[in-house]
Amino acid sequence: MQIIAQYRGLPRQIYFLFMARMINAMGMFVYPYITLFLTTRLGYDDAEVGMYLFWVSVCYVPAALAGGKLADMFKRKGLYIGSLLLADVAFVIAGFNCDSINVVWYMLAGFFFLNVGMPVLSAMMMDLTMPSNRQESYSLIYLGANLGVAFGPLIAGFLFVNYTEWIFFGQAIFSVLALLLIGFGVADTTPGKQQIEAIARDASRAAEAASSRSLLGVMIRTPIVPLFATLAAAYAFSYAQISYIMPLQMEDAFGLDFGAQSYGVIWSLNGLFVFIGTPILVFLSKKYGPLFNMFLAGSLYALGFYFYSMADSLLIVYYVLVAVWSAGEVIAATNTGVFIANHAPVSHRARFQSICEIINGSGRAIGPVVIGEYLIGHTIPQTWRLIGVLCIMAALCYLLLHRYLLSHGGGRETQPVNSAKSIAEQEARAAGGR
């Protein structure tokens, strides 16, 4: 079957990363339950929760910058393992202090070190893949992560009320198991001189050619990448409300105990829908350009989120709509990584990824704060309608950019005139004249 066959013949280490991401995601207990933890255990109100989620997202900026810079300078595998081990230590300490107000600082530390590792892992995936197999490789690893998500929050939902400390301990345990798999199954991926030269000789990968320019210089001359990331930030702003508005809405509709369990079921359904739908959606959408696929993703987000404004206390509506926004999530996630990888110079991979994730993450950061203030004078259904409108506006911007590039790229999605290819050619001419 072609849908399954598309995952055959990928680099061996991609399969190890697939299993590691699945195990690691299975232990992602803490983040999905931040809102309920802060409101029911520490007594935070809605605005205070939004502000804390803002600072969780803000800490990503220095973490990602540090991770990106270090990953382009040192060995990536050791850096990734070290950052996640530090995160595990922070979460274990948080577990022993989950009834203390100080737990919020240990949680912040844990998320900081997790965020240091994110651009490192992304750079490792870029190193292990080529444009010809990136769509399949990225989607496979994404599929593994969401298979883990299908079970992790469900387990955490039953631990939350009576065994709260184990959502912290459990995350650390699963993370260590994943790191052992990476430690023994994945070699360091940092590109060597031969790999860098091979990319420079490949005209089809001109956008990935190494550059001697600064990160800012490369970004300015490749404007499509920060623009792409900025539009993706609108999606991230909207998606963040699943962790913020959704648990509040379900607590109001079903009570704390059943609401927490039902919220865990939503994350589990999301993981299962993503697991089932990823191979199918990737197979159907990979013939289109990433920009058009991002338009489709935003349209599905808009549809799914908007109709949560009509869910009321009908649990089946919450569950059915998961399939809609999960389809948007699959398409957005599998195309975002591929687009950035195809436009990131090999010399700047981790830093490119970190900057794009910072832009994208700004949406997650301001989402809870803005919506927290908006909720003061508006209802949750009104908020979901606002989110739906935001998603369709961003989706239409992707469609416009897609059509613009088609009209200027000979019928296919290409970079604008100030492209990475142009930069590579300019630098080659400059080097020849010195």
Side-chain angles (χ1 to χ4, degrees), residues 190-237:
T190 307
K193 182 178 179 181
Q194 290 183 338
Q195 292 173 288
I196 294 174
E197 291 176 348
I199 292 173
R201 292 192 298 267
D202 188 345
S204 67
R205 302 180 68 182
E208 297 181 65
S211 174
S212 60
R213 295 182 182 273
S214 68
L215 175 63
L216 180 61
V218 175
M219 279 283 184
I220 290 174
R221 288 165 175 78
T222 318
I224 191 173
V225 176
L227 178 58
F228 181 97
T230 300
L231 292 174
Y235 290 174
F237 178 101

Side-chain angles (χ1 to χ4, degrees), residues 12-24:
R12 181 185 65 87
Q13 295 184 94
I14 290 294
Y15 299 117
F16 278 95
L17 285 178
F18 161 75
M19 292 184 287
R21 288 290 290 131
M22 180 176 64
I23 293 171
N24 198 26

Side-chain angles (χ1 to χ4, degrees), residues 268-346:
S268 296
L269 287 174
N270 167 248
L272 289 174
F273 282 137
V274 168
F275 178 73
I276 294 170
T278 295
I280 299 171
L281 291 169
V282 168
F283 183 77
L284 294 175
S285 66
K286 65 183 179 181
K287 59 184 176 182
Y288 303 111
L291 293 173
F292 184 78
N293 286 335
M294 292 298 284
F295 159 70
L296 295 177
S299 301
L300 290 166
Y301 275 155
L303 184 65
F305 295 152
Y306 186 89
F307 279 99
Y308 272 129
S309 66
M310 307 175 188
D312 295 324
S313 59
L314 298 174
L315 189 59
I316 187 64
V317 176
Y318 291 91
Y319 291 163
V320 169
L321 289 177
V322 174
V324 179
W325 56 261
S326 294
E329 177 190 350
V330 168
I331 297 173
T334 54
N335 282 275
T336 298
V338 171
F339 185 89
I340 295 172
N342 289 344
H343 292 77
V346 64

Side-chain angles (χ1 to χ4, degrees), residues 1 8 16 32-33 43 47 49 52 63 67 130 182 197-198 206 212 265 273 286 300 412 416 422-423:
M1 193 178 194
R8 295 175 184 165
F16 278 95
Y33 284 89
V49 172
Y52 182 77
M130 299 177 64
I182 291 176
E197 291 176 348
S212 60
V265 171
F273 282 137
K286 65 183 179 181
L300 290 166
R412 59 191 179 92
S422 301
I423 296 171

Side-chain angles (χ1 to χ4, degrees), residues 90-417:
F91 284 126
V92 168
I93 297 174
F96 284 114
N97 293 272
C98 63
D99 291 323
S100 168
I101 193 67
N102 292 326
V103 69
V104 298
W105 300 109
Y106 301 125
M107 291 165 62
L108 274 177
F111 290 125
F112 176 85
F113 289 116
L114 282 179
N115 291 333
V116 169
M118 289 179 66
V120 185
L121 179 62
S122 296
M124 291 171 67
M125 292 167 59
M126 293 182 195
D127 298 337
L128 293 169
T129 59
M130 299 177 64
S132 58
N133 61 19
R134 278 195 177 126
Q135 192 85 9
E136 295 82 1
S137 297
Y138 274 67
S139 67
L140 179 64
I141 294 172
Y142 175 72
L143 187 152
N146 281 276
L147 180 60
V149 169
F151 298 100
L154 182 62
I155 298 170
F158 289 98
L159 294 173
F160 178 78
V161 175
N162 297 313
Y163 305 97
T164 307
E165 66 273 15
W166 278 98
I167 68 172
F168 298 98
F169 298 154
Q171 175 152 338
I173 292 170
F174 276 94
S175 176
V176 169
L177 292 175
L179 290 178
L180 287 173
L181 194 58
I182 291 176
F184 289 105
V186 180
D188 185 72
T189 66
T190 307
K193 182 178 179 181
Q194 290 183 338
Q195 292 173 288
I196 294 174
E197 291 176 348
I199 292 173
R201 292 192 298 267
D202 188 345
S204 67
R205 302 180 68 182
E208 297 181 65
S211 174
S212 60
R213 295 182 182 273
S214 68
L215 175 63
L216 180 61
V218 175
M219 279 283 184
I220 290 174
R221 288 165 175 78
T222 318
I224 191 173
V225 176
L227 178 58
F228 181 97
T230 300
L231 292 174
Y235 290 174
F237 178 101
S238 304
Y239 192 90
Q241 307 314 319
I242 300 172
S243 296
Y244 181 47
I245 300 176
M246 182 68 70
L248 298 176
Q249 186 177 21
M250 299 200 76
E251 183 183 355
D252 288 344
F254 308 110
L256 175 59
D257 199 356
F258 186 67
Q261 293 178 22
S262 299
Y263 180 60
V265 171
I266 282 181
W267 280 111
S268 296
L269 287 174
N270 167 248
L272 289 174
F273 282 137
V274 168
F275 178 73
I276 294 170
T278 295
I280 299 171
L281 291 169
V282 168
F283 183 77
L284 294 175
S285 66
K286 65 183 179 181
K287 59 184 176 182
Y288 303 111
L291 293 173
F292 184 78
N293 286 335
M294 292 298 284
F295 159 70
L296 295 177
S299 301
L300 290 166
Y301 275 155
L303 184 65
F305 295 152
Y306 186 89
F307 279 99
Y308 272 129
S309 66
M310 307 175 188
D312 295 324
S313 59
L314 298 174
L315 189 59
I316 187 64
V317 176
Y318 291 91
Y319 291 163
V320 169
L321 289 177
V322 174
V324 179
W325 56 261
S326 294
E329 177 190 350
V330 168
I331 297 173
T334 54
N335 282 275
T336 298
V338 171
F339 185 89
I340 295 172
N342 289 344
H343 292 77
V346 64
S347 53
H348 293 65
R349 277 176 172 167
R351 283 171 288 174
F352 237 59
Q353 184 66 35
S354 66
I355 292 298
C356 290
E357 288 184 1
I358 286 170
I359 297 172
N360 186 282
S362 66
R364 291 191 300 271
I366 66 174
V369 176
V370 173
I371 296 303
E373 293 297 323
Y374 186 79
L375 280 172
I376 294 175
H378 298 82
T379 65
I380 289 178
Q382 289 173 329
T383 306
W384 280 124
R385 286 193 284 271
L386 175 67
I387 295 302
V389 171
L390 175 63
C391 286
I392 198 63
M393 289 176 63
L396 290 174
C397 288
Y398 273 121
L399 182 61
L400 290 174
L401 184 57
H402 164 75
R403 290 183 173 177
Y404 171 80
L405 292 184
L406 284 184
S407 65
H408 290 75
R412 59 191 179 92
E413 284 187 7
T414 59
Q415 300 179 76
V417 176

